[in-house]
Amino acid sequence: MEPKTTTPIVKGIIITLILIVFGLVIYFSGQFGNQSLQYVQYLILIGGIIWSCIYYAKQLNGNTTFGNVFAHGFKTTAVIICLLAVYTFISVEFLFPDMVDKVLDEARKNMEAQKTLTSDQIQTGLDITRRFFLPFAIGGIIIIFAIVGAIASLIGAAVAKKNPQSPFQQQM
């Protein structure tokens, strides 16, 4: 009989809620342009997926393989990606429509500080970004979080204690 394990869906929901709360803290504290805080979300994601892998192997008492632990971690990543994509759509379209303006203002400041583009080029770039902001944001979440999640799943599968037993050993 297979021991009960926490599903990737439950773990994905927990990690996603932590990421959303962290994002809201950044948003409401006005630290939207602080790049170092933006990288903390990746640390939360990596730590959460590694925890998911280790906890999965622990729930199975180590009777699992590297591939099974990796698959569990990547399933957790997939749940996180789906939930964050939906949350991003809802937050940009309905909850925080001013978020696009804040991001574009920050981008304008960065482009003006570089002094390599004319004001017309900056405005054209910002207009294109405004039109495609939501697809870029959701696409970025999907691609970047999938890559980071795969790496975290590999690390989690490597770190988790495993001592799989073959079916032949169980029969004796």
Side-chain angles (χ1 to χ4, degrees):
M1 187 170 130
E2 185 96 6
K4 285 275 191 189
T5 60
T6 308
T7 65
I9 294 172
V10 172
K11 292 175 183 173
I13 290 170
I14 292 168
I15 296 166
T16 302
L17 289 175
I18 293 169
L19 287 168
I20 289 171
V21 168
F22 179 74
L24 290 172
V25 168
I26 288 175
Y27 181 77
F28 288 120
S29 66
Q31 296 294 318
F32 209 69
N34 189 340
Q35 283 295 327
S36 59
L37 283 179
Q38 295 295 329
Y39 292 120
V40 172
Q41 74 177 348
Y42 297 116
L43 294 176
I44 293 170
L45 176 67
I46 291 168
I49 293 171
I50 291 172
W51 162 78
S52 173
C53 292
I54 292 170
Y55 191 65
Y56 173 72
K58 185 177 180 180
Q59 285 181 317
L60 293 176
N61 297 321
N63 189 19
T64 187
T65 64
F66 180 90
N68 287 343
V69 176
F70 173 79
H72 184 84
F74 200 75
K75 287 175 192 175
T76 304
T77 301
V79 170
I80 294 167
I81 290 170
C82 291
L83 293 174
L84 281 179
V86 170
Y87 170 74
T88 300
F89 175 78
I90 291 170
S91 66
V92 169
E93 289 294 316
F94 304 110
L95 301 176
F96 310 111
D98 62 323
M99 183 184 304
V100 177
D101 294 329
K102 289 182 179 185
V103 170
L104 294 179
D105 287 343
E106 192 67 35
R108 177 184 297 279
K109 289 176 190 172
N110 290 339
M111 286 190 251
E112 288 172 349
Q114 291 177 358
K115 298 180 183 179
T116 57
L117 300 172
T118 66
S119 66
D120 288 339
Q121 291 171 326
I122 291 172
Q123 190 58 45
T124 302
L126 293 176
D127 290 341
I128 292 170
T129 303
R130 179 180 298 282
R131 256 183 291 172
F132 296 108
F133 182 83
L134 194 56
F136 285 161
I138 292 174
I141 287 170
I142 292 169
I143 293 169
I144 293 172
F145 276 45
I147 292 169
V148 172
I151 293 168
S153 296
L154 285 170
I155 294 169
V159 171
K161 293 188 180 191
K162 301 165 292 297
N163 55 354
Q165 299 171 354
S166 73
F168 301 113
Q169 289 175 332
Q170 293 175 356
Q171 290 178 357
M172 296 183 157

